[in-house]
Amino acid sequence: MNVNIEINGKELQAENGKMLIEVTDELGITVPRFCYHKNLSVSANCRMCLVEVEKAPKPMPACATPVTEGMKVFTHSPKALAAQKAVMEFLLINHPLDCPVCDQGGECDLQDFSIGYGEGKSQYVEAKRVIKDKDYGPLVATEMTRCIHCTRCVRFGQEIAGIREIGATGRGENMEIGTYIEKSIDSELSGNIIDICPVGALTSKPFRFHARAWEMQKHNGVAVHDCTGSNVEFHTLRGEIQRIIARENQDINDSWISDRDRYSYLGLNNEDRIFKPMIKKSGNWETVDWEEALNFTAEVIKNGVGTIGPDSLATLVSPNATLEEFYLAQKVTRGLGSHNIDHRLQQVDFRAQESDPLYPGLKMSVKQISEQNAILLIGSNIRKEQPIIAHQVRQATIINNAKISLVNTQHYEMNFNVSAEFADDANILNNLLALAKVLVQKDKIDVDKAFSKLISSAKVTDNHEQTIAELKTDEDSLVIVGNTAQTMSNYSQIKIIASFIATNTNSQLAILTHGGNSASAYIAGAVPHRGPCNQVEENGLTAQEMFNKDLTTYIIQNIEIEKDLIGGDSEEVINHLTKANTILISSFVTDKMKEYATIILPAAIYTESSGTYINVSGTHQSMNAITEAKADSKPVWKIWRVLGNLLNINNMDYMSSEEVKDEVLDILGDKDMQSSINWMDFELDQVSNRAEYKVKPLGIYAVDSIVRRADALQRTADGQQ
Amino acid sequence: MAEENLKIASLNDKVKAEIDTWVAKYPEGKQSSAVMFALKLAQDQNGGWLTTELMDAVADYLSMDKIAVYEVASFYSMYEHKPVGKHKICVCTNISCMVCGSAKIVKHLEEKLSIKMGETTEDKNITLKEVECLGACVNAPMLQIGENYYENLTPEKIDEILDGLK
């Protein structure tokens, strides 16, 4: 329902009950504020947004005053201004005048509003308050004397991060924002308190004193360390990335990003970065120019394919590569007659892959997860795997009182209320089968023999029945299969049972994949069983099968096999690589990698190359190069293009990465990006029961070669584990 | 350190039982409403002051975030975070007591005990504390020891009170 109100003499309509500040923000009317933040609750404690409301005896805080019929508001009247100026004077009483050495200078709300509402001089002559500094760990720097007690960081901890680590202790003059005891801030979303702090009390520790806000150029980009596709802003100075901050996208990440996305840039300039092409000649590494390197590479590939056959070539691409890189990698590989291409490094069970949808993902926007009423999380430590998706799950528990059930092999600490937790350290399938059994028995579903045999031994408890009942309500519900499940040796069974549960409880099924861009990999055809956009192809070797036998040539793009591939640190895998011609297209090279590689082509880092990322819900997001490719390194899509030309692959004359993208999107046409997933079409009896073997999934700060090199992240509590 | 030895890290059964009676007064799930009394009980158990460990124990017992308990315990002046004497003398120096001569009372107390406000006597018997209004303005000046108010104070009356605290 709308009401008629008047703001600064202008008549308009606004939604009844909306806070005044939301209405003025929509209209672009400036109302100064410190404590109000649109993604946090209203606390109305800074009093900076006082405005005059007709018939109200005193000025009212715009952030906590709902609009009502006939309300007349003045945001810039003498009375409003006087109130705002008075508040500003109080706020400045204890604030130090250290803007010249403060990192927030130039992007500081207090600084900006003091220009508009502050007096040139203060009436205050007493001593200013000084607060002893805190140590919040390696990510957040503090200067608590600058704090104006807006409590945004306190509310962020309580409402968004879900662990209250910061509070307001003491009272009156002695009130302090802090942790009270000496302690680091351990939330995986902790960096956001830097973005929301309206003053310089909380700033980025790794960024401290590196650049001033006004010197830097801002570039829009996407975070690539998980499948969320969070929006970020890269800030650069003199061609170097200085920091990453959150960019608002209310469909994906609200105003937040994970610490992993915020601080991963620290890994970009690691000493392992290489800048010159290198070839191993009789055991010794020689630096060569690009022409020689590429000609030699093409020759090696050609020889292998020519003498042994195309099946002796395998290409392995990082799941963080761009859509363009995936497409060109598979185009070159398939152009040579090989189907051995994969990006699924953290998967061992590939059975039932033929039934995969266009790409495994989410059939709704990331934000819509917060609208669900029940969610079943299978094999997922979601907080550490996709922190922003975990945030949306948490929002569902807050907004809708959603019931969350977890099926895992161990207990994981979550930052939301969990309705039922099934943690069987033997395997996760038993609990899934029990859930399926509840459905079969209650709804008298006809299932085939193999299925009924599988569920026959499952032990059903009240908790299983409760979880199914929660999923089965008429409201929206979601079944999520997470990264941990994908690492399991019976992933295909998990998929099928998850799909069964989702279908029969009328829930959506979602797969949260590894890496930042696996949706692109599927769509571009960087999987061995399919070409671009679901074109059926002959089956090639999967990431695991590639190392089951001797191949002649491996092309490996931005992967540290020993760390990124499940089981990649085994002697056998390294042996195969050492015997074969191993071509690394890589930004980083370690001594270990030099042992098994034959050719090293220095790749530009993702921020130095244009490209497209498709997130878990199918949203395309293209990014320009943020900085130039360093020294002699080259964007990976260009390396593939030249290799393709040298290997006489047809139609490889792309002038820009956009042309590559357009070609993929042409093939994609109007195929349904959100095609539904139903692995039940796959015959279950083809997937025999396998003993589960346990792989330790990658830790939150071990997911890719860039994050692993971000030293500040490694020093956090999560990084130490 | 003797002080270290004093640190009690957990709530004893009697305190827990008493907290339970307070929790029962509030609706289910609102057990954190009992935090103030729980802290008082914990403080009494520990000889008049709270340790971080005790506050943590209260937080755990009431399923609260630890920082939320620290906030309460550091906000109210009746919670102590350092060891105090056997008797804590809380002298009001707010406006009513001030106009009725609390300065004289404070001076007399400080001289008699040879300690300043906020300090504890060497024998750990008495701690002096300046507090805000305790709501007994009608008989100002006043002070509080334990759960008792002493009103219409004079230096002579103070001597009498102190004699009773040996």
Side-chain angles (χ1 to χ4, degrees), chain A residues 142 163 252 302 353 374 394 539 646 679 702-703:
Chain A
T142 60
I163 33 173
I252 300 177
K302 233 184 274 179
Q353 65 179 3
R394 183 179 142 74
N539 260 9
L646 293 172
W679 277 285
V703 288

Side-chain angles (χ1 to χ4, degrees), chain A residues 257-410:
Chain A
I257 55 173
S258 64
D259 287 354
R260 186 165 61 192
D261 295 340
R262 183 180 304 270
Y263 293 107
S264 60
Y265 76 93
L266 295 166
L268 298 182
N269 285 330
N270 189 272
E271 56 189 11
D272 290 338
R273 179 88 197 263
I274 51 149
F275 301 106
K276 297 260 182 224
M278 289 196 288
I279 297 174
K280 198 192 258 171
K281 287 181 181 162
S282 51
N284 295 319
W285 283 101
E286 265 178 42
T287 304
V288 296
D289 61 20
W290 269 103
E291 203 184 341
E292 186 183 344
L294 287 166
N295 281 328
F296 184 68
T297 308
E299 209 174 301
V300 165
I301 298 173
K302 233 184 274 179
N303 279 345
V305 172
T307 52
I308 317 287
D311 287 343
S312 66
L313 168 71
T315 305
L316 206 50
V317 185
S318 157
N320 295 4
T322 64
L323 174 74
E324 293 80 355
E325 290 160 15
F326 285 126
Y327 180 71
L328 294 182
Q330 69 84 31
K331 191 168 181 178
V332 171
T333 309
R334 292 214 163 89
L336 291 165
S338 170
H339 296 274
N340 309 332
I341 177 159
D342 211 344
H343 73 283
R344 297 166 296 177
L345 309 176
Q346 290 287 309
Q347 190 175 331
V348 290
D349 181 8
F350 300 94
R351 299 167 300 169
Q353 65 179 3
E354 290 76 12
S355 314
D356 283 344
L358 176 58
Y359 71 95
L362 178 66
K363 233 185 114 180
M364 58 181 81
S365 76
V366 173
K367 177 73 171 187
Q368 279 169 318
I369 294 175
S370 69
E371 293 159 15
Q372 303 301 310
N373 287 284
I375 299 173
L376 171 64
L377 277 162
I378 300 167
S380 172
N381 183 9
I382 193 163
R383 251 182 95 185
K384 308 294 175 187
E385 290 168 0
Q386 292 91 12
I388 291 298
I389 297 184
H391 152 67
Q392 300 293 10
V393 171
R394 183 179 142 74
Q395 291 309 302
T397 66
I398 295 169
I399 300 167
N400 291 337
N401 194 20
K403 304 286 182 238
I404 315 290
S405 303
L406 311 174
V407 183
N408 278 312
T409 50
Q410 66 174 92

Side-chain angles (χ1 to χ4, degrees), chain A residues 346-348 482-489 491 514 566 693 695 697:
Chain A
Q346 290 287 309
Q347 190 175 331
V348 290
N483 286 4
T484 312
Q486 282 151 57
T487 61
M488 292 184 170
S489 55
Y491 172 50
H514 285 280
I566 284 188
Y693 76 74
V695 190

Side-chain angles (χ1 to χ4, degrees), chain A residues 599-627:
Chain A
I599 302 169
I600 298 171
L601 303 175
I605 283 181
Y606 79 101
T607 53
E608 299 166 358
S609 163
S610 56
T612 303
Y613 298 89
I614 302 179
N615 82 347
V616 65
S617 37
T619 311
H620 301 217
Q621 304 185 98
S622 292
M623 193 163 111
N624 289 328
I626 308 296
T627 54

Side-chain angles (χ1 to χ4, degrees), chain A residues 59-235:
Chain A
M60 308 284 274
C63 69
T65 306
V67 292
T68 51
E69 181 64 40
M71 191 183 236
K72 284 186 183 168
V73 183
F74 306 93
T75 63
H76 290 80
S77 67
K79 197 175 167 186
L81 273 179
Q84 290 160 357
K85 285 184 171 179
V87 170
M88 178 53 90
E89 188 175 357
F90 274 111
L91 287 174
L92 290 177
I93 278 182
N94 278 310
H95 193 78
L97 203 58
D98 62 351
C99 307
V101 295
C102 175
D103 259 1
Q104 192 85 354
E107 53 177 7
C108 174
D109 290 352
L110 190 66
Q111 201 178 33
D112 293 350
F113 289 134
S114 74
I115 307 259
Y117 304 90
E119 290 293 333
K121 57 178 193 236
S122 170
Q123 305 173 51
Y124 184 77
V125 290
E126 288 80 6
K128 289 196 174 206
R129 185 185 55 204
V130 174
I131 311 284
K132 206 179 143 211
D133 240 347
K134 316 277 190 294
D135 184 2
Y136 281 176
L139 303 180
V140 181
T142 60
E143 192 71 54
M144 295 316 277
T145 305
R146 295 176 185 147
C147 176
I148 56 165
H149 299 174
C150 73
T151 70
R152 276 185 185 176
C153 55
V154 177
R155 280 174 286 145
F156 176 84
Q158 190 169 10
E159 294 160 19
I160 308 296
I163 33 173
R164 252 195 92 182
E165 299 179 282
I166 309 176
T169 56
R171 76 164 152 188
E173 176 75 0
N174 300 318
M175 181 176 141
E176 277 185 36
I177 299 291
T179 49
Y180 186 75
I181 47 169
E182 188 77 10
K183 138 179 213 319
S184 58
I185 305 280
D186 294 333
S187 163
E188 63 284 349
L189 300 172
S190 70
N192 291 298
I193 59 177
I194 298 164
D195 285 352
I196 59 174
C197 182
V199 295
L202 303 171
T203 51
S204 167
K205 204 175 251 184
F207 169 69
R208 201 161 221 206
F209 305 139
H210 276 242
R212 307 298 314 204
W214 58 86
E215 307 175 293
M216 293 185 288
Q217 270 127 30
K218 295 174 179 173
H219 309 263
N220 288 347
V222 188
V224 302
H225 307 289
D226 62 34
C227 61
T228 317
S230 293
N231 287 195
V232 297
E233 220 172 71
F234 292 88
H235 290 183

Side-chain angles (χ1 to χ4, degrees), chain A residues 164 167-171 178 180-181, chain B residues 52 65 67 70-71 74-75 81:
Chain A
R164 252 195 92 182
T169 56
R171 76 164 152 188
Y180 186 75
I181 47 169
Chain B
T52 305
D65 289 316
I67 184 72
Y70 304 153
E71 282 178 337
S74 62
F75 183 89
H81 299 276

